[in-house]
Amino acid sequence: MTQNIFDNENFFNGYRELRNHDTCMNDLLEQPAMKKMLPDLKEKTVLDIGCGYGHNCLDFIERGAKKVIGIDISEKMLDVAKKESANPDIEYRQMNMNQISSLDTKFDFVYSSLAIHYAEDFKKLMRDIFGVLNNNGILLYSQEHPIMTATIDENISHFNFDENGNRVSFTFSDYNRSGMRKIHWFGEEIIKYHRPMGEILTGIAGSGFIITEVVEPLPEPWAVEKSPDIVREYIKSNFLIIKAAKR
Amino acid sequence: MTQNIFDNENFFNGYRELRNHDTCMNDLLEQPAMKKMLPDLKEKTVLDIGCGYGHNCLDFIERGAKKVIGIDISEKMLDVAKKESANPDIEYRQMNMNQISSLDTKFDFVYSSLAIHYAEDFKKLMRDIFGVLNNNGILLYSQEHPIMTATIDENISHFNFDENGNRVSFTFSDYNRSGMRKIHWFGEEIIKYHRPMGEILTGIAGSGFIITEVVEPLPEPWAVEKSPDIVREYIKSNFLIIKAAKR
């Protein structure tokens, strides 16, 4: 059975509060890097996998996209999207990302922000994305970095501090054990899938994609000013962003 | 000035002893994975960057290669190669890998085992390799994994053990600080260059290559039998192997 944690009331409220906080890592680090990597969207058709509140769908329309389909497994998320990010050229659909091959549209651009680490079958997902893309189409997606998803026992993964309380190193384990990870977030158990870098990249290349860019974003000076602690990103990497083309 | 540590007498002897030992990680983990990824070499011209003792050059000839050029910066290494791995179709040249664009031959296959982390300018090296490859040529190379090269202070990077003496996790730092690393090996200071995954992969893709495979090798059962401790590779990854094509 597919997890739908975002329709859990506690989780939904906890997550919404986090995302409303202006030192959220997504807004400081992942979203700025993703925005820089967006292709020209004028007159393009776009699929947003795990669109959440729909903010990016609306941004794509503002950048000139002709048509955007945002899918998410969570009705609660889509309820917010339909209120906060409504537009006649955006269609929100409740859909599991393992169902995208059933879409009757083809896309010039497939986007996904921090959803793909929830996909159990990565190879199938990459084949499906390749299948719904037009020729010369582009995939841009982010996920939690494998260094961050690696550790099976949540107690093992942590920063280490020096005598002055500064973070100096990061401890992790199980990097090369591909598979399910259970973590706790907002009091709920969340299921993710850890895949080492090689599995991710060979999976993308094996689906026929040309990998054009791999980014492990670092904070811009304005982000360090907002949240000085974000320099911990020099120790490890929180996010992995991959851009690939269908040629 | 380019480092030539392999021509240092102490280092050369220490390294030679390590490689003669049959539980050396190269022979248990890196070389078996690299051999599996070799393309068909019949009638091909091959460049081996950092050929060392020339064992792989000889193997390429045995696999049907027409002509092999092995380059290495160390005369001492090449002296061994000319004795242990001599063949009329192999040419050994003393050359820094930053000079390969001066070669007057084009190649169908460029190979490099555990040398490229010594290259200071990775982008230039990738452009140069792309330049000396024929169309449809293939690059296959291995390097130390960025998780292993990351830490600047050698005292920080280490395994952590449980009360029974089993390795349970790995501590590292400075993953996102690209640049020079000084380590100590056989009593000598060695200079390497750490680059995070994103820099490596975007560098390769940016040179025009199609990345086809990224491998973080795991030990085969026979290797675990020879060296049971090698299961530590499930905690982190020692090697990174990349295969890319010029199309």
Side-chain angles (χ1 to χ4, degrees):
Chain A
M1 213 201 66
T2 302
Q3 151 184 272
N4 182 359
I5 192 68
F6 285 93
D7 274 350
N8 171 301
E9 188 81 18
N10 280 337
F11 185 86
F12 181 83
N13 293 333
Y15 182 82
R16 186 126 174 94
E17 198 173 317
L18 170 80
R19 290 304 301 266
N20 283 337
H21 206 278
D22 77 348
T23 56
C24 159
M25 284 288 275
N26 303 33
D27 295 332
L28 292 178
L29 197 58
E30 182 259 356
Q31 279 297 305
M34 290 283 270
K35 292 249 191 291
K36 277 193 188 172
M37 293 170 76
L38 285 174
D40 179 8
L41 292 178
K42 284 193 189 68
E43 292 302 310
K44 299 288 162 70
T45 55
V46 179
L47 173 65
D48 184 348
I49 299 175
C51 64
Y53 308 136
H55 299 171
N56 282 311
C57 295
L58 200 55
D59 179 55
F60 301 150
I61 291 292
E62 283 159 9
R63 287 169 190 266
K66 183 167 64 182
K67 168 87 189 164
V68 178
I69 297 183
I71 67 162
D72 206 287
I73 199 169
S74 159
E75 285 287 5
K76 273 168 144 353
M77 284 296 218
L78 292 175
D79 287 345
V80 176
K82 285 169 194 170
K83 278 179 210 137
E84 290 188 359
S85 314
N87 183 283
D89 297 320
I90 305 176
E91 186 187 331
Y92 293 108
R93 288 201 205 172
Q94 197 270 336
M95 182 182 263
N96 187 320
M97 63 181 131
N98 68 20
Q99 307 270 295
I100 61 165
S101 63
S102 72
L103 288 165
D104 44 14
T105 315
K106 291 265 185 178
F107 302 91
D108 303 308
F109 180 51
V110 173
Y111 175 93
S112 180
S113 166
L114 300 174
I116 285 182
H117 47 259
Y118 297 120
E120 185 175 359
D121 190 339
F122 184 76
K123 279 189 192 171
K124 171 186 155 46
L125 180 60
M126 287 300 132
R127 281 195 309 266
D128 287 351
I129 293 174
F130 195 83
V132 300
L133 270 174
N134 289 319
N135 278 338
N136 300 310
I138 289 170
L139 164 66
L140 175 65
Y141 91 89
S142 64
Q143 62 161 85
E144 291 192 42
H145 199 285
I147 289 171
M148 300 306 293
T149 57
T151 310
I152 294 171
D153 176 350
E154 287 180 75
N155 299 314
I156 284 178
S157 170
H158 63 273
F159 281 101
N160 305 292
F161 297 84
D162 67 12
E163 59 276 16
N164 302 315
N166 302 310
R167 288 177 167 87
V168 289
S169 63
F170 185 73
T171 296
F172 77 113
S173 188
D174 311 304
Y175 177 81
N176 264 329
R177 292 189 200 277
S178 180
M180 190 191 286
R181 297 292 185 271
K182 292 180 180 174
I183 62 138
H184 292 86
W185 210 22
F186 306 119
E188 304 296 331
E189 186 181 89
I190 316 288
I191 291 171
K192 296 179 190 180
Y193 293 88
H194 166 71
R195 289 172 273 263
M197 293 288 291
E199 184 179 343
I200 293 166
L201 292 155
T202 302
I204 296 170
S207 300
F209 279 109
I210 315 279
I211 296 164
T212 55
E213 230 176 312
V214 178
V215 170
E216 292 156 318
L218 280 174
E220 305 277 347
W222 64 262
V224 177
E225 203 163 303
K226 270 199 168 177
S227 179
D229 176 50
I230 203 175
V231 296
R232 65 182 180 270
E233 287 309 298
Y234 287 97
I235 295 175
K236 44 81 182 160
S237 207
N238 217 52
F239 301 115
L240 174 68
I241 306 179
I242 297 179
K243 193 170 179 179
K246 174 174 181 169
R247 272 177 210 150
Chain B
M1 213 201 64
T2 302
Q3 151 183 271
N4 182 359
I5 192 69
F6 285 94
D7 274 349
N8 172 301
E9 187 82 18
N10 279 335
F11 186 86
F12 181 83
N13 293 333
Y15 183 81
R16 185 125 175 96
E17 198 173 315
L18 171 80
R19 290 304 302 266
N20 283 335
H21 205 278
D22 76 348
T23 56
C24 158
M25 285 288 276
N26 302 33
D27 296 332
L28 292 178
L29 197 59
E30 183 258 358
Q31 278 297 304
M34 290 283 270
K35 293 248 190 291
K36 276 194 187 170
M37 294 170 76
L38 285 174
D40 180 8
L41 292 178
K42 284 195 189 69
E43 291 303 309
K44 299 289 162 70
T45 54
V46 179
L47 174 65
D48 185 347
I49 298 174
C51 65
Y53 309 136
H55 299 170
N56 282 311
C57 294
L58 200 57
D59 179 54
F60 301 150
I61 291 291
E62 282 160 8
R63 288 169 191 266
K66 185 168 62 182
K67 166 86 188 164
V68 178
I69 297 184
I71 67 162
D72 206 287
I73 198 169
S74 159
E75 285 288 4
K76 274 169 145 351
M77 285 297 218
L78 292 175
D79 286 346
V80 175
K82 286 169 192 169
K83 279 181 207 132
E84 289 188 359
S85 313
N87 183 283
D89 297 321
I90 305 176
E91 186 188 332
Y92 293 108
R93 287 202 206 173
Q94 197 270 334
M95 183 182 262
N96 187 321
M97 64 181 128
N98 68 20
Q99 307 268 296
I100 62 166
S101 63
S102 71
L103 289 165
D104 44 14
T105 316
K106 291 266 183 176
F107 302 91
D108 303 309
F109 180 52
V110 173
Y111 175 93
S112 180
S113 167
L114 299 175
I116 284 180
H117 47 259
Y118 297 120
E120 185 175 359
D121 190 340
F122 184 76
K123 280 189 191 172
K124 171 186 155 47
L125 180 61
M126 286 302 132
R127 281 196 309 266
D128 287 351
I129 293 174
F130 195 82
V132 300
L133 271 174
N134 290 319
N135 278 337
N136 299 310
I138 290 171
L139 165 65
L140 175 65
Y141 91 89
S142 64
Q143 60 161 85
E144 289 191 44
H145 198 286
I147 289 171
M148 300 307 292
T149 56
T151 310
I152 294 171
D153 176 351
E154 286 180 75
N155 299 313
I156 284 178
S157 170
H158 62 272
F159 281 100
N160 305 291
F161 297 83
D162 68 12
E163 59 275 17
N164 302 315
N166 301 311
R167 285 178 168 87
V168 289
S169 63
F170 185 73
T171 297
F172 77 111
S173 189
D174 311 304
Y175 176 80
N176 264 329
R177 292 189 200 277
S178 179
M180 191 190 285
R181 297 294 186 268
K182 292 180 180 175
I183 63 137
H184 293 85
W185 209 22
F186 307 120
E188 304 296 331
E189 186 181 89
I190 316 287
I191 291 171
K192 295 179 189 179
Y193 292 88
H194 166 70
R195 288 172 273 261
M197 292 290 292
E199 184 180 342
I200 293 167
L201 292 154
T202 302
I204 296 170
S207 301
F209 279 109
I210 316 279
I211 296 163
T212 55
E213 229 176 311
V214 178
V215 170
E216 293 157 318
L218 280 174
E220 306 275 347
W222 64 263
V224 178
E225 202 162 305
K226 270 200 168 175
S227 178
D229 176 49
I230 202 173
V231 297
R232 65 182 179 270
E233 287 309 299
Y234 286 97
I235 294 175
K236 44 82 184 161
S237 207
N238 218 53
F239 301 115
L240 175 67
I241 306 180
I242 298 180
K243 193 171 179 179
K246 175 174 181 170
R247 269 177 209 150

